[in-house]
């Protein structure tokens, strides 16, 4: 198939240019055809203005001018580039910040450039963060509406346009349709070849919009089909069918140290109903920070054991796995449930003897009740697991290893699901002999449209509200001038015997990013305002064992102030932590800040979240005030999606799903619903389901094949 041919088959693509294209994800001719121009970045030469014609109304405008001068400006901690441009009607100033400052080196005076951006209302002839391109210099194409592509290395817009032209010429001769007959009959989409031509070189704005609509739908439709196809394959299996709640479930509920909230009862009812059918459960439990998801998961684990089956719960870090082990041990002991812990650092007995660790004894018991075992040796734990001596196994990614074999696995729970992909989840489920029930949990509230896309193969349970007794966290914004007051607050909380997190966006200082690094802040404070206070530093560049040791010491109260990057966004439960300080809070999304804030307020003492704001930008401050005004994670997630877009909020690739190239989950909500409805109709029909699978195997765009093959 020609679309799988190497990009080197095209004219002018040698080893160096092929390497540049590969950095953009373009290895084949098919990759090139589905490498769409940047959204909204087309150059319509019928709309090129002069500087005098620019209108300061906030709308996006295009004009051509020559560069007059380039200035690098440094104002304290802020640095930016100003470029003054001119034409025969006047002058204009361009302001370039952060990631655009390299343009000050790319261009020189008298270069002719095309400038696309928004002229802010009331700011005549002034553009902030516009796009700059070398002016059109002729490539054999009549100027009309020209595409603008992302570039790297030595690639230019003219080179990309020529390559796409050649690929489209090849496609014209033999390009199969990619949507099933039902979809084409029900819609008014452009044929595939015509759509590809008009997404790259539109003959009109109307044709461009039609081409975009077709490929937005196609992308979302194939993603939904893949998820539904995957789910249908899972549901075709027979699962272990559990009985109604018995004495062990009732015992655990009775002995919980709190009463279940109405939200917990509602969600548990949904899960219990799933477990009492012969169809495998595929459910995600969304619960806000501290809403009590672990207690609900515990009931599912007990229900499996009560019916004579095994279950497991997988957490993304060892510290979180150990926390689950201790919490579940307390919950499950009254019902006599046998629980074990498997983490990556456990030795086999043979290794331990050889290394002189220990020469006798098969396990170390850690119990008030024989049901709870802290295994010393990995092979002892795995033998008991194979023999059915362990009802519930708690662990990390170590659970995925081939030598972890269950006797009768019936339920898999994964915590902080966004840290695991579809393939990892499937590998764990495959350890059961027949269909295994699956419950995935996340403390990251996900807006409905995003959940529909990312978790299209799962039913969704939403648990809102906090357990009784939790005090609202007071969230306050502080400017640089108020730093001393925040420092005094940190020391005050430490002296009261409480613990504090200080979170920074960077590990170390950077020339490219104006923000405080955790190393800088840690060194600055430990010898000054926090002298005599127990402090520690943790960040993602450290080894896992080192990070786990520090987090364990913090959880045990040995460290009063922990300086960190976002590695503690999801982590250990420390009820004694009462203050979260976030440096350069404007650099974080609302959902992430809400997760960080959720590290405190887990005990009975009043807790605080101090947001240090390193900007005077009114939009950034307004966004942070949204966080200060609400503790509703679902509301904040919706606002984050609205303000930042789905790409930044929640990537798809980490779920084992393909990235979206043209669809936007916020903008294309209606198309998501339409695509899912049509996907359900197609996948439920045996003939059409096979047609879709065959179409996917013939795709120029191979992103969706892995879902259908999983």
């Amino acid at each position: 198939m020609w679309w799988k041919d190497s990009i080197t088959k095209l004219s002018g693509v040698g080893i160096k240019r092929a390497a540049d294209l590969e950095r953009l994800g373009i290895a084949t001719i098919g990759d090139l055809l589905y490498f769409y121009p940047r959204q909204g970045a087309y150059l319509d030469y019928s709309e090129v203005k002069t500087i005098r014609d620019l209108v300061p109304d906030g709308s996006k405008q295009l004009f051509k001018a020559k560069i007059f001068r380039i200035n690098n400006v440094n104002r304290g901690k802020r640095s930016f580039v100003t470029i003054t441009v001119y034409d025969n009607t006047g002058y204009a100033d361009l302001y370039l910040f952060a990631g655009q400052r390299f343009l000050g080196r790319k261009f020189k005076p008298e270069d002719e450039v095309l400038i696309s951006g928004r002229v802010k209302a009331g700011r005549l002839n002034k553009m902030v963060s516009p796009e700059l391109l070398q002016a059109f210099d002729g490539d054999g194409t009549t100027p009309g509406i020209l595409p603008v592509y992302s570039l790297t290395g030595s690639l230019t817009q003219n080179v990309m346009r020529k390559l796409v032209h050649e690929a489209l010429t090849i496609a014209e001769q033999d390009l199969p349709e990619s949507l099933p007959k039902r979809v084409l009959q029900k819609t008014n989409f452009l044929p595939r070849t015509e759509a590809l031509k008009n997404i790259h070189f539109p003959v009109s704005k109307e044709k461009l919009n039609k081409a975009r609509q077709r490929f937005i739908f196609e992308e979302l439709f194939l993603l939904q089909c893949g998820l539904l196809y995957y789910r249908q394959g899972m549901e075709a299996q027979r699962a272990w069918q559990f009985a109604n709640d018995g004495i062990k479930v009732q015992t655990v509920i009775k002995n919980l140290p709190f009463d279940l909230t109405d939200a917990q009862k509602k969600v548990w009812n949904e899960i219990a109903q799933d477990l009492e059918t012969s169809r495998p459960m595929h459910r995600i439990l969304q619960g806000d920070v501290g809403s009590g998801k672990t207690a609900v998961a515990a009931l599912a684990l007990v229900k499996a054991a009560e019916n004579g089956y095994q279950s497991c719960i997988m957490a993304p870090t060892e510290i979180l796995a150990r926390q689950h082990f201790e919490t579940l041990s307390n919950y499950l002991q009254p019902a006599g449930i046998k629980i074990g812990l498997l983490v990556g650092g456990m030795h086999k007995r043979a290794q331990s003897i050889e290394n002189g660790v220990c020469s006798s004894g098969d396990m170390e018991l850690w119990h008030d009740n024989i049901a709870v075992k802290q295994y010393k040796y990995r092979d002892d734990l795995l033998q008991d697991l194979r023999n059915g001596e362990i009802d519930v196994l708690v662990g990390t990614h170590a659970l995925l290893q081939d030598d972890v074999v269950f006797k009768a696995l019936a339920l898999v729970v994964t915590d902080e699901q966004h840290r695991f992909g579809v393939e990892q989840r499937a590998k764990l489920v495959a350890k059961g002999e027949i269909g295994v029930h699956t419950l995935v949990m996340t403390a990251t509230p996900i807006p409905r449209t995003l959940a529909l896309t990312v978790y299209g193969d799962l039913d969704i349970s939403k648990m809102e509200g906090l357990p009784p007794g939790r005090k609202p966290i007071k969230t306050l914004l502080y400017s640089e001038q108020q730093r001393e007051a925040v420092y005094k607050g940190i020391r005050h909380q430490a002296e009261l015997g409480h613990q504090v997190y200080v979170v920074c966006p960077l590990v170390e200082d950077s020339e490219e990013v104006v923000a405080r690094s955790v190393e800088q802040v840690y060194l600055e404070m430990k010898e000054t305002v926090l002298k005599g206070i127990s402090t520690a530093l943790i960040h993602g560049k450290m080894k896992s064992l080192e990070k786990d040791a520090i987090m364990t010491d913090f959880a045990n109260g040995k460290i009063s102030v922990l300086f960190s990057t976002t590695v503690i966004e999801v982590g250990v439960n420390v009820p004694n932590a009462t203050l979260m300080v976030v440096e350069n809070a404007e650099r974080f999304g609302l959902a992430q800040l809400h997760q960080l804030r959720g590290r405190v307020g887990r005990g009975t003492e009043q807790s605080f979240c101090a947001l240090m704001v390193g900007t005077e930008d009114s939009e950034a401050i307004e966004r942070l005030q949204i966080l200060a005004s609400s503790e509703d994670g679902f509301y904040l997630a919706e606002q984050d999606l609205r303000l930042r877009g789905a790409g930044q909020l929640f990537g798809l690739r980490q779920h084992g799903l393909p990235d979206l190239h043209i669809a936007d989950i916020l903008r294309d909500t209606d198309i998501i619903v339409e695509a899912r409805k049509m996907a359900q109709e197609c996948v439920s029909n045996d003939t059409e389901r096979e047609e879709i699978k065959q179409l996917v195997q013939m795709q120029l765009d191979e992103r969706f094949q892995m879902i259908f093959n999983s």
Side-chain angles (χ1 to χ4, degrees):
M1 291 180 282
W2 59 264
W3 53 84
K4 292 189 177 181
D5 287 346
S6 168
I7 197 70
T8 57
K9 291 286 185 74
L10 298 181
S11 304
V13 181
I15 295 174
K16 184 176 185 302
R17 187 161 285 172
D20 286 339
L21 289 164
E22 193 150 352
R23 280 197 288 273
L24 294 173
I26 302 171
T28 66
I29 296 174
D31 292 338
L32 179 64
L33 286 175
Y34 271 83
F35 186 74
Y36 300 118
R38 297 209 307 268
Q39 183 185 343
Y42 294 84
L43 298 179
D44 187 346
Y45 274 77
S46 67
E47 294 188 353
V48 175
K49 294 183 176 183
T50 63
I51 290 176
R52 183 172 57 197
D53 293 331
L54 295 175
V55 181
D57 60 358
S59 66
K60 196 164 190 179
Q61 298 168 67
L62 173 70
F63 69 102
K64 184 161 65 172
K66 285 187 176 181
I67 292 178
F68 178 66
R69 63 169 170 253
I70 300 171
N71 287 328
N72 291 293
V73 182
N74 290 292
R75 291 181 182 169
K77 293 184 178 179
R78 299 188 71 195
S79 58
F80 55 92
V81 173
T82 64
I83 299 180
T84 301
V85 297
Y86 72 98
D87 63 13
N88 59 6
T89 69
Y91 289 80
D93 291 320
L94 315 177
Y95 289 77
L96 308 174
F97 296 91
Q100 285 192 308
R101 285 181 294 175
F102 74 94
L103 292 171
R105 301 187 297 273
K106 180 177 180 181
F107 297 108
K108 61 184 183 299
E110 295 307 308
D111 279 351
E112 192 169 36
V113 290
L114 278 165
I115 302 140
S116 175
R118 301 183 189 278
V119 183
K120 287 198 172 182
R123 296 186 178 185
L124 191 60
N125 298 351
K126 180 178 180 180
M127 281 188 174
V128 176
S129 302
E131 292 191 28
L132 276 76
L133 296 165
Q134 204 82 41
F136 176 75
D137 57 5
D139 63 352
T141 306
T142 303
I145 303 177
L146 290 182
V148 177
Y149 300 96
S150 295
L151 302 174
T152 188
S154 62
L155 294 172
T156 66
Q157 294 298 333
N158 289 338
V159 166
M160 289 295 290
R161 289 169 191 154
K162 286 178 181 177
L163 292 176
V164 173
H165 262 301
E166 187 177 346
L168 285 169
T169 301
I170 296 170
E172 249 184 318
Q173 301 166 19
D174 175 27
L175 181 65
E177 186 50 73
S178 54
L179 289 173
K181 297 182 184 71
R182 174 197 288 267
V183 173
L184 294 172
Q185 289 167 356
K186 282 194 167 188
T187 62
N188 191 32
F189 290 138
L190 294 177
R192 192 185 193 187
T193 305
E194 187 179 357
L196 272 174
K197 284 182 179 178
N198 280 281
I199 197 76
H200 289 287
F201 298 98
V203 298
S204 67
K205 285 186 176 179
E206 181 185 4
K207 286 281 188 175
L208 171 59
N209 289 334
K210 284 188 174 182
R212 285 186 58 80
Q213 289 300 303
R214 179 207 155 107
F215 289 121
I216 289 169
F217 178 90
E218 179 177 307
E219 194 167 60
L220 294 169
F221 173 78
L222 291 175
L223 177 62
Q224 293 294 335
C225 284
L227 289 168
L228 291 168
Y229 190 91
Y230 172 78
R231 175 169 179 153
Q232 197 173 68
M234 298 297 291
E235 288 181 342
Q237 304 177 48
R238 182 177 63 85
W240 302 110
Q241 185 171 358
F242 298 175
N244 293 339
D245 293 352
I247 188 66
K248 290 189 176 182
V249 172
Q250 293 167 11
T251 298
V252 169
I253 292 175
K254 181 181 177 182
N255 284 277
L256 287 173
F258 47 80
D259 293 330
L260 293 176
T261 64
D262 289 342
Q264 286 173 312
K265 290 175 184 176
K266 174 181 174 293
V267 167
W268 169 237
N269 185 54
E270 292 170 351
I271 293 170
Q273 286 182 2
D274 284 351
L275 295 173
E276 291 165 13
T277 70
S278 59
R279 177 182 63 84
M281 174 177 72
H282 296 283
R283 185 169 292 278
I284 180 169
L285 171 55
Q286 288 191 74
D288 211 341
V289 178
S291 60
K293 297 181 298 299
T294 305
V296 174
L299 298 181
L301 300 171
V302 174
K303 193 174 181 76
E306 186 170 60
N307 283 270
Y309 305 123
Q310 292 172 300
S311 59
C312 65
I313 178 168
M314 182 167 66
T317 64
E318 182 172 327
I319 191 72
L320 194 53
R322 290 187 183 279
Q323 177 185 309
H324 277 317
F325 177 71
E326 293 179 20
T327 301
L328 291 170
S329 296
N330 292 329
Y331 288 170
L332 305 187
Q333 276 185 50
I337 307 297
K338 300 171 185 174
I339 181 171
L341 173 68
L342 176 63
V343 292
M346 295 179 69
H347 288 289
K348 291 183 178 180
R349 181 185 288 124
Q351 292 174 328
S352 300
I353 294 172
E354 183 181 334
N355 295 335
V357 174
C358 185
S359 58
S360 63
D362 62 349
M363 70 181 64
E364 188 180 298
L365 296 181
W366 181 83
H367 62 82
D368 295 319
N369 179 312
I370 195 69
V372 181
K373 297 179 181 178
Q374 178 77 19
Y375 287 86
K376 181 179 290 185
Y377 300 125
R378 177 187 172 87
D379 38 6
D380 290 326
L381 182 149
L382 296 182
Q383 181 178 335
D384 279 2
L385 188 69
R386 286 192 298 271
N387 294 336
E389 294 297 318
I390 295 175
D391 298 315
V392 177
L393 182 60
V394 182
T396 57
H397 293 78
L399 297 179
L400 299 172
Q401 295 177 8
D402 292 339
D403 60 350
V404 179
V405 179
F406 294 82
K407 182 179 182 180
L409 179 65
L411 170 67
V412 165
V413 180
T414 56
D415 191 19
E416 295 309 332
Q417 168 59 22
H418 66 284
R419 302 293 182 92
F420 301 106
V422 171
E423 292 180 42
Q424 289 170 310
R425 199 168 78 212
K427 186 172 183 179
L428 193 53
V429 166
K431 292 181 181 288
E433 289 184 11
I434 66 171
V436 172
H437 297 290
T438 304
L439 176 66
V440 298
M441 303 192 297
T442 178
T444 304
I446 310 165
R448 178 180 175 273
T449 52
L450 190 56
L452 196 64
T453 304
V454 178
Y455 297 121
D457 60 321
L458 300 169
D459 295 316
I460 299 173
S461 287
K462 186 175 174 182
M463 193 160 70
E464 298 183 86
L466 298 175
R470 288 277 177 90
K471 293 181 180 179
I473 301 165
K474 292 183 179 179
T475 303
L476 303 166
L477 275 61
Y478 292 90
S479 67
E480 186 64 32
Q481 291 71 32
Q482 297 169 300
R483 178 171 296 279
E484 188 177 341
V486 175
Y487 283 2
K488 286 180 179 177
I490 295 172
R491 185 169 187 97
H492 178 65
Q493 290 295 318
E495 288 174 342
L496 288 175
H498 302 316
Q499 290 166 279
V500 180
Y501 296 96
V502 179
V503 175
C504 301
L506 303 177
V507 174
E508 53 195 19
D509 288 345
S510 166
E511 293 182 3
E512 296 297 319
V513 182
V514 181
R516 290 170 66 82
S517 71
V518 71
E519 290 182 346
Q520 170 197 352
V521 175
Y522 173 65
L523 292 172
E524 175 187 309
M525 292 184 65
K526 74 170 186 173
E527 294 299 330
T528 55
V529 68
L530 295 180
K531 195 165 187 178
I533 302 290
S534 173
T535 61
L537 170 67
I538 184 173
H539 54 72
K541 292 185 177 181
M542 292 178 170
K543 293 181 179 179
S544 294
L545 288 176
E546 188 179 1
K547 286 188 292 187
D548 286 343
I550 292 170
M551 288 302 296
T552 299
D553 283 348
F554 187 68
N556 293 335
K558 295 179 181 178
I559 297 167
S560 296
V561 182
L562 181 64
F563 292 82
S564 173
T565 53
T566 54
V567 292
I568 54 89
E569 178 185 343
V570 173
V572 68
N573 179 31
V574 184
N576 190 44
T578 56
L579 174 59
M580 166 65 69
V581 177
V582 183
E583 291 278 1
N584 293 105
E586 73 278 358
R587 300 192 64 85
F588 299 90
L590 292 180
Q592 191 173 35
L593 286 170
H594 181 59
Q595 291 292 309
L596 291 170
R597 178 171 61 181
R599 293 301 99 213
V600 298
R602 306 175 82 85
T604 57
E605 298 292 329
Q606 178 63 58
S607 292
F608 305 87
C609 178
L611 304 177
M612 298 298 301
V613 185
T615 181
E616 296 178 5
D617 182 76
S618 59
E619 291 182 7
I621 293 171
E622 182 181 350
R623 186 170 61 84
L624 295 175
Q625 286 171 338
I626 293 173
L627 181 81
S629 68
S630 176
E631 285 197 74
D632 184 340
F634 292 95
Y635 166 76
L636 294 172
E638 293 283 358
Q639 294 301 308
D640 220 9
L641 184 60
R642 178 178 65 82
L643 293 167
R644 304 177 76 214
Q648 287 184 305
L649 175 62
F650 216 72
L652 297 176
R653 188 177 297 167
Q654 59 194 333
H655 297 268
L657 303 179
D659 286 336
L660 297 179
H661 288 178
I662 192 169
D664 182 281
I665 292 169
L666 176 61
R667 181 197 63 216
D668 302 321
T669 304
D670 293 341
I671 301 178
I672 292 174
V673 175
E674 181 188 355
R676 185 168 178 81
K677 181 181 178 183
M678 206 162 287
Q680 288 171 326
E681 292 175 3
C682 291
V683 173
S684 63
N685 180 295
D686 291 343
T687 303
E688 291 180 353
R689 185 173 66 251
E690 285 307 306
E691 179 191 1
I692 292 168
K693 188 170 183 180
Q694 290 172 14
L695 289 173
V696 168
Q697 299 306 324
M698 293 168 48
Q699 285 291 313
L700 280 69
D701 181 0
E702 299 182 356
R703 289 174 294 148
F704 301 97
Q705 292 183 15
M706 62 81 70
I707 313 180
F708 283 82
N709 295 332
S710 61

